[in-house]
Amino acid sequence: AAAAAAAAPARSSRSQSHYHLRNDVAETLLTEVKLRLAAQHARCLSLANDVNHFFNKISRGHDIATTTTTTAVVKPNVIRAVNTPVVTPPSPRSRRRRRRRRDGHPPLSHERDKILKLVSNLENLHADTYSLLHQLLAAPHKPTLARFSPADRTLLSSTVEQIRSRHAQSVESVAEILIAMRRCDEDGTTVCPLREDLKDEFLKQRLGIQLLCDHYVALHE
């Protein structure tokens, strides 16, 4: 009986140590995911700026312009002005617009609205999933992490799984945006619609979020 009594505190101590380790690991992983989601949200805003800059760039140019020059024809005691119309050749913008109408494509303004809608959806996705973790981690006492009961662990794991599943198509969304932008730039006047560093960082952080979520769910299971 004395040996059992002596062993009981040791078992309790090991159990308590395991509880704190799981708590610390959970908080570290969730905090890292939250920070990456915040950074991704900022990149979505930069992406929207790049889209607007892209459409401003490909929309530059002049429409077909008709100007009038005045030539003076001099006769004895008679001055008469003759208007000679001069038609400038179509601008690249006008040629693109004509070609899009001829091929049955929607106007660039419609394409721009469609792409901006995709960017907005991507931005909302990151804002919503960030708020899920913010609600769990921003409270002063973090009761879910402080208790870390089986129900709390299940809640946290299901939240991470939700984030992982909702972000599963985020890379495809960026690819869809990029393809649509390249389709609008029919003359190829823009080398790359999006900044390389923005694309690279977005893809790297997306991979980091996925790995962190996978790791958390594996530890929970």
Side-chain angles (χ1 to χ4, degrees), residues 10-162:
R11 285 196 299 269
S12 176
S13 176
R14 286 195 299 269
S15 175
Q16 187 71 7
S17 175
H18 178 68
Y19 167 83
H20 283 299
L21 177 63
R22 295 279 302 192
N23 177 297
D24 294 342
V25 170
E27 184 172 6
T28 299
L29 290 175
L30 294 175
T31 301
E32 287 296 325
V33 172
K34 188 183 82 166
L35 292 175
R36 282 166 171 77
L37 288 174
Q40 289 292 77
H41 181 262
R43 291 186 184 94
C44 289
L45 298 178
S46 297
L47 179 61
N49 290 332
D50 279 11
V51 170
N52 284 316
H53 177 72
F54 167 78
F55 278 102
N56 290 335
K57 185 174 183 179
I58 67 174
S59 295
R60 288 174 187 162
H62 300 284
D63 294 329
I64 297 176
T66 301
T67 59
T68 300
T69 60
T70 301
T71 304
V73 179
V74 180
K75 290 185 178 181
N77 301 323
V78 176
I79 299 178
R80 181 178 300 170
V82 178
N83 293 330
T84 304
V86 178
V87 179
T88 59
S91 66
R93 177 185 178 187
S94 299
R95 290 196 298 268
R96 283 196 302 268
R97 194 161 53 212
R98 287 180 176 179
R99 185 163 56 246
R100 292 185 69 84
R101 285 199 300 263
R102 182 191 62 207
D103 297 340
H105 295 305
L108 281 178
S109 59
H110 291 182
E111 292 286 352
R112 179 189 58 203
D113 293 342
K114 176 183 176 182
I115 293 172
L116 287 175
K117 179 64 174 177
L118 291 172
V119 175
S120 177
N121 291 340
L122 195 63
E123 186 263 330
N124 290 333
L125 169 65
H126 287 83
D128 291 343
T129 49
Y130 172 86
S131 66
L132 291 176
L133 288 181
H134 182 72
Q135 293 172 4
L136 294 172
L137 299 175
H141 304 293
K142 304 176 184 177
T144 304
L145 287 169
R147 293 189 307 264
F148 214 58
S149 65
D152 294 324
R153 291 195 292 270
T154 300
L155 172 63
L156 292 171
S157 180
S158 63
T159 301
V160 172
E161 287 183 347
Q162 181 180 357

Side-chain angles (χ1 to χ4, degrees), residues 125 129 132 157-173 206 209-210 213-214 217:
L125 169 65
T129 49
L132 291 176
S157 180
S158 63
T159 301
V160 172
E161 287 183 347
Q162 181 180 357
I163 293 172
R164 181 175 63 175
S165 62
R166 291 182 64 181
H167 283 263
Q169 301 298 321
S170 61
V171 174
E172 287 78 1
S173 297
R206 168 67 186 88
I209 293 171
Q210 180 72 27
C213 291
D214 290 344
V217 172

